[in-house]
Amino acid sequence: MSAAERNARFMRRAVERAREGIEAGQTPFGACIVRGGEVVACQHNVVWATTDITAHAEVHAIRSACRELGTIDLAGCEIFTTCEPCPMCFSACHWARLDRIVYGAEIEDARAAGFSELRLSNREMKRRGGSPVELEGGVEREACAALFRQWREHPESRAY
């Protein structure tokens, strides 16, 4: 399997999880953490369900992966997330020592959908903070951007 096929496979898992979240009245974000070609954790955003503004899909997936692996060190793992992580989530990925962040939609897509995003890209955070985490964007971008449209059509959609 090529790297592009592998990326698409795991991103599709994150997209599926985001769709589950939308149907549950959550926001259109999903994230999967993978180690050695196997999914360790795959979660959607649960901010509204938990009334926890930090319960973004990436943070929820990191928490689940740490519990599953019994460690806070996720070196050797990568995260596939439907949207470029916000600064909080990028920092959590850095602190968890994830090797790589693979994302679909851009943070500006989330901003355009009504989310209160800071205008600070992951590339800029990596550069300014000196993080070793690798970044790859635009994977399954159309499918990830379509999540925002699906979410807007859901009767319970609300941003934060």
Side-chain angles (χ1 to χ4, degrees), residues 4-84:
E5 290 169 328
R6 184 179 174 285
N7 284 350
R9 176 179 161 220
F10 292 122
M11 188 61 76
R12 283 192 295 270
R13 292 282 302 273
V15 168
E16 289 170 19
R17 191 49 59 112
R19 286 186 181 130
E20 291 171 15
I22 292 168
E23 290 307 310
Q26 299 304 299
T27 54
F29 303 98
C32 287
I33 295 180
V34 174
R35 180 174 75 173
E38 299 293 324
V39 173
V40 176
C42 197
Q43 299 291 341
H44 60 73
N45 181 299
V46 291
V47 165
W48 291 113
T50 61
T51 59
D52 177 356
I53 196 63
T54 69
H56 293 193
E58 297 92 339
V59 170
H60 194 39
I62 288 169
R63 289 172 179 159
S64 294
C66 288
R67 277 192 304 275
E68 179 68 25
L69 298 174
T71 182
I72 61 168
D73 185 347
L74 298 179
C77 296
E78 53 197 334
I79 190 166
F80 293 80
T81 182
T82 58
C83 189
E84 180 179 5

Side-chain angles (χ1 to χ4, degrees), residues 55-124:
H56 293 193
E58 297 92 339
V59 170
H60 194 39
I62 288 169
R63 289 172 179 159
S64 294
C66 288
R67 277 192 304 275
E68 179 68 25
L69 298 174
T71 182
I72 61 168
D73 185 347
L74 298 179
C77 296
E78 53 197 334
I79 190 166
F80 293 80
T81 182
T82 58
C83 189
E84 180 179 5
C86 72
M88 175 187 71
C89 291
F90 177 89
S91 296
C93 291
H94 168 83
W95 290 324
R97 294 185 175 86
L98 287 163
D99 292 353
R100 187 165 82 116
I101 298 169
V102 180
Y103 60 90
E106 302 285 332
I107 204 159
E108 282 302 318
D109 295 317
R111 189 173 186 70
F115 291 89
S116 181
E117 299 293 345
L118 297 172
R119 287 193 166 112
L120 187 57
S121 73
N122 283 199
R123 296 208 185 283
E124 182 66 9

